[in-house]
Amino acid sequence: MKNNYTHLPVLLNEVINSMKIKMDGIYLDCTFGRGGHSKRILSKLGENGRLLAVDRDIIAVEIAKKTIIDSRFTIIHTSFSRISKYLFEHNLLGKINGILLDLGVSSPQLDDSQRGFSFMSNGPLDMRMDQSQGLSAADWIRKASKEEMTKVLKNFGQEKYAKNIAKSLYYLQRNHNLVLSTTQDLVKVIKKLGKYDGRKHPATRCFQAIRIHINQELEEIKKILEDVFRILIPGGILSVISYNSLEDKLIKYFMYNNSNINQWIPSDLPLNEEQRRKKQRQSHKFMFKISKKIRPSTQEIINNPRARSAILRIAEKISV
Ligand SMILES: C[S@@+](CC[C@H](N)C(=O)[O-])C[C@H]1O[C@@H](n2cnc3c(N)ncnc32)[C@H](O)[C@@H]1O
């Protein structure tokens, strides 16, 4: 197990400020990674505070166990979409003061060529965050139909040449018995059909798309968002960092659709039919107070170019 790769936590001060950490609060870091945010949260907690952290990557979990020896800290190896089950079993539903989601992959996952996430190096074409389950990228490409591959490359990568790349991947394997087993095998196929998009490497979009699909990343987000209101205590905070427009759209709409922003109709005004229906719908909704989105400073991007696409969104569960 390689563990000498590091990860610089993104928007660290902004995340910690957004979470308004209470010394005796209970916090949930859904994406432990290398624990940059977790360690800072722990440093703000008093002796009765607690931090639960989650990661679906066993290497991240092993590192957490070795590096954070603290009775206030628990690391759980699971997908965050399943965390509400754990919280229910431990009588913690509705008791969490803050949830952090720092989405996507960590630098160690990208930098370790053996994980297969990067088109810049050569390694097995895997791309699974949790290598103990599901299909690797190579297995998926071997089994998927042209149509399925086209859909994934288009929907999750906005890849212009999706259809041609999918067709080529399909025929090379089925008709020419080519086995795509490494990241560079895939890069070679894409490079024949795709072009540089500005300074973007031709494989950027396909690698993003396949990674999102293999790890069911958008489904994971949708599932945890369904549970957030039940998990948080009134006044509890949800802080989410996303790194691409697909993730951010889910977060943004979830927060807006359930937020005080919708409560613009003053109660003493006569309402038309549409407004009355809107208000009725809202009265059944879970409510959050949301803050302005936050982006990394220029200095942070210079220090850590991987932070450049980060967007932090924050929602507070309105006390009832
Ligand atoms: C961007 S990194 C988090 C970095 C962390 N905040 C830090 O400062 O070290 C994302 C981490 O979340 C994990 N992850 C991504 N999606 C997950 C999911 N659905 N369930 C659990 N862990 C997930 C990845 O394995 C990765 O380790």
Side-chain angles (χ1 to χ4, degrees), residues 87-100:
L87 296 173
F88 173 74
E89 287 165 1
H90 291 78
N91 196 24
L92 287 169
L93 267 187
K95 296 184 181 165
I96 302 298
N97 294 83
I99 303 173
L100 169 63

Side-chain angles (χ1 to χ4, degrees), residues 1-270:
M1 179 176 85
K2 285 193 179 181
N3 63 12
N4 50 348
Y5 301 100
T6 54
H7 180 94
L8 286 177
V10 171
L11 290 164
L12 181 58
N13 291 330
E14 293 82 350
V15 164
I16 300 303
N17 290 339
S18 76
M19 294 185 85
K20 301 182 188 164
I21 299 192
K22 293 188 165 64
M23 287 184 69
D24 58 353
I26 310 176
Y27 291 85
L28 176 63
D29 178 354
C30 288
T31 48
F32 179 83
R34 286 299 178 271
H37 294 102
S38 273
K39 286 174 199 156
R40 186 65 76 81
I41 295 171
L42 269 176
S43 76
K44 301 270 173 194
L45 293 177
E47 57 184 38
N48 293 322
R50 275 189 76 184
L51 173 63
L52 306 168
V54 173
D55 208 295
R56 74 207 303 204
D57 185 336
I58 192 67
I59 299 179
V61 170
E62 293 302 332
I63 287 173
K65 284 183 183 160
K66 278 194 193 136
T67 55
I68 306 188
I69 315 288
D70 188 320
S71 57
R72 302 168 303 168
F73 177 73
T74 308
I75 179 80
I76 306 147
H77 181 220
T78 189
S79 294
F80 55 62
S81 61
R82 302 207 192 118
I83 194 60
S84 61
K85 183 170 180 277
Y86 175 96
L87 296 173
F88 173 74
E89 287 165 1
H90 291 78
N91 196 24
L92 287 169
L93 267 187
K95 296 184 181 165
I96 302 298
N97 294 83
I99 303 173
L100 169 63
L101 289 162
D102 179 16
L103 297 168
V105 280
S106 65
S107 295
Q109 287 167 330
L110 275 174
D111 294 340
D112 182 352
S113 59
Q114 295 308 302
R115 303 299 300 269
F117 286 107
S118 173
F119 53 81
M120 302 296 281
S121 52
N122 200 16
L125 189 53
D126 191 321
M127 297 200 200
R128 285 171 300 169
M129 292 185 201
D130 182 349
Q131 293 181 300
S132 68
Q133 41 186 309
L135 288 181
S136 67
D139 286 340
W140 176 70
I141 292 173
R142 196 160 42 78
K143 291 183 178 166
S145 65
K146 273 175 294 184
E147 292 71 26
E148 187 186 356
M149 280 194 271
T150 307
K151 206 166 118 191
V152 165
L153 300 182
K154 235 188 216 162
N155 292 353
F156 300 154
Q158 285 104 33
E159 171 57 63
K160 250 201 271 178
Y161 308 99
K163 207 168 169 186
N164 290 346
I165 294 172
K167 217 157 113 187
S168 177
L169 289 171
Y170 186 83
Y171 285 116
L172 282 170
Q173 295 185 104
R174 303 295 200 285
N175 298 359
H176 299 276
N177 288 331
L178 180 85
V179 181
L180 288 175
S181 56
T182 70
T183 49
Q184 291 313 304
D185 291 340
L186 177 58
V187 169
K188 268 184 222 151
V189 177
I190 299 168
K191 264 186 154 174
K192 279 198 185 130
L193 300 154
K195 296 194 177 71
Y196 269 87
D197 175 5
R199 285 170 54 203
K200 252 190 199 157
H201 187 285
T204 311
R205 292 174 183 279
C206 288
F207 268 66
Q208 174 187 300
I210 296 171
R211 189 202 88 198
I212 291 177
H213 174 69
I214 290 296
N215 295 289
Q216 293 289 296
E217 292 179 30
L218 303 180
E219 290 310 310
E220 282 287 310
I221 297 172
K222 286 181 200 161
K223 282 189 196 144
I224 193 162
L225 291 180
E226 278 171 18
D227 292 337
V228 156
F229 194 80
R230 293 193 302 140
I231 294 175
L232 286 173
I233 202 168
I237 309 273
L238 168 68
S239 290
V240 187
I241 310 177
S242 47
Y243 294 88
N244 61 57
S245 59
L246 298 170
E247 292 169 349
D248 187 54
K249 224 187 229 171
L250 289 179
I251 305 303
K252 179 170 143 182
Y253 288 129
F254 169 78
M255 288 187 178
Y256 271 84
N257 286 340
N258 294 290
S259 81
N260 54 322
I261 299 280
N262 277 330
Q263 295 279 304
W264 57 274
I265 306 167
S267 56
D268 53 345
L269 280 184

